[in-house]
Amino acid sequence: MPGHDARTLRRPGIYLQYIKGLVMSSTFDQVATIIAETCDIPRDTITPESHAIDDLGIDSLDFLDIAFAIDKAFGIKLPLEKWTQEVNDGKATTEQYFVLKNLCARIDELVAAKTASA
Amino acid sequence: MQLEYFQLIDRILDLNMDEKKITVEAQVPQHSTIFEGHFPGHPIMPGVLLIESMAQTSGWLLIALMKFERMPFLAAVKEAKMRGFVTPGELLTVEAGIVHEGSGYAITEAKIRVDGKLRCNATITFSLIPPPNPEFRQYMDAVAKRIDFPLQAFPS
C-alpha cells in the first residue's frame, strides 16, 4: 500500500485498485485457509495460480468438503453440477473453475449476485 | 429390518417437507446370521449397519426433496457416534434432517433413538447423482411402497 502522502491522495485510482485488491485477496485468503484446513495441505504451497485438482491433488470427495465450507463461509451455493456439466460437454475448462484465482472470481460474482438480489 | 438384504428401515413415520425432516422406524430382528458372529453370546447390531440405517433414512428425505430427480449416494460419514449397544428385538426410531443442500451434494444429521434415548448419531454427506438407469425408478418405487413412502405425491 502506498503511503498516505499527498501524491497518493491526488490519485484516487490507486485507492480503488488497493480496495479491489483487498477484496480479492480476502476471498483468496479465506479459500486458501479452507483448503489448507480441509485437505491438510501446507498453506504456503497454495497460490492464486494453483489448480485445485492438478496442482493440489484435491479429489472430488475432498472438494465436497471444500464446497461446503465455501458455501457456508460466503453464504452462496457453488454451482458444482453446472460447472461439471460444462466441463464434460467441453464448454468450459477445469482451469476456469478450479484455478484458485478463477474460483475466487466466481465466488465474488456469486456473492455480488446474491447481494444484488437481496 | 432384513439385515441380509440391507433393508435397514421399515416404515416412514413422518416426512416433513417444510422442515426438511424425516422420522422412520426399524425393528431389529431377533435372529440374524450376523448376530451369530457379532458376537457369539453377545449379539449386538454392527455399528456400520446402524450408520447405514441412518444413511437410508437420510437418503429417503433427500429423494423426497429432490423429487426422485437425483439419487443420493453415501460419500462421507463424520462424527459417527455409537453411544450404546443396540440389541436384537429393539425398536429403533431414526431421524434425519438437512444440514446443507449444495449443488450435487447434501449433508444430513441423523440420530437413532430407542425408547426416546439417543443411541447413535452421525453427520453424513451424500453425492446427488441422476438415477443410473431408467429401471432404477421402478426399483426405488418398490422400496418406497415397502416403507410407506408417500409415492402419490411424487408421480414417476
Side-chain angles (χ1 to χ4, degrees), chain A residues 11 33 98 105-106:
Chain A
R11 297 175 57 198
T33 304
F98 296 105
R106 301 289 90 77

Side-chain angles (χ1 to χ4, degrees), chain A residues 25-109:
Chain A
S25 71
S26 145
T27 301
F28 172 73
D29 281 341
Q30 283 189 69
V31 169
T33 304
I34 285 169
I35 291 174
E37 286 173 359
T38 309
C39 301
D40 210 12
I41 294 171
R43 171 67 182 80
D44 56 11
T45 62
I46 304 169
T47 73
E49 305 300 326
S50 304
H51 189 301
I53 302 162
D54 298 344
D55 298 329
L56 302 178
I58 297 167
D59 68 11
S60 58
L61 182 58
D62 281 336
F63 202 81
L64 287 192
D65 278 339
I66 293 168
F68 175 45
I70 289 175
D71 284 0
K72 238 184 359 179
F74 294 93
I76 55 172
K77 187 161 157 176
L78 286 183
L80 296 181
E81 282 191 301
K82 183 170 154 261
W83 293 355
T84 307
Q85 193 64 47
E86 286 175 11
V87 170
N88 289 344
D89 293 346
K91 290 177 184 158
T93 61
T94 59
E95 284 75 17
Q96 285 171 255
Y97 299 125
F98 296 105
V99 168
L100 297 190
K101 65 178 180 189
N102 298 337
L103 177 65
C104 291
R106 301 289 90 77
I107 292 169
D108 288 340
E109 287 165 12

Side-chain angles (χ1 to χ4, degrees), chain B residues 45-104:
Chain B
M45 270 286 277
V48 287
L49 294 183
L50 295 168
I51 290 171
E52 176 65 21
S53 67
M54 292 190 277
Q56 291 186 9
T57 302
S58 302
W60 280 101
L61 173 61
L62 292 169
I63 287 170
L65 290 172
M66 293 176 300
K67 303 180 170 51
F68 285 85
E69 285 164 10
R70 296 279 187 283
M71 280 297 305
F73 289 93
L74 185 57
V77 180
K78 288 182 184 166
E79 295 292 328
K81 291 184 176 165
M82 308 301 125
R83 296 167 183 274
F85 292 144
V86 172
T87 54
E90 286 192 305
L91 180 65
L92 313 183
T93 305
V94 193
E95 308 156 1
I98 299 289
V99 174
H100 183 69
E101 285 176 279
S103 163

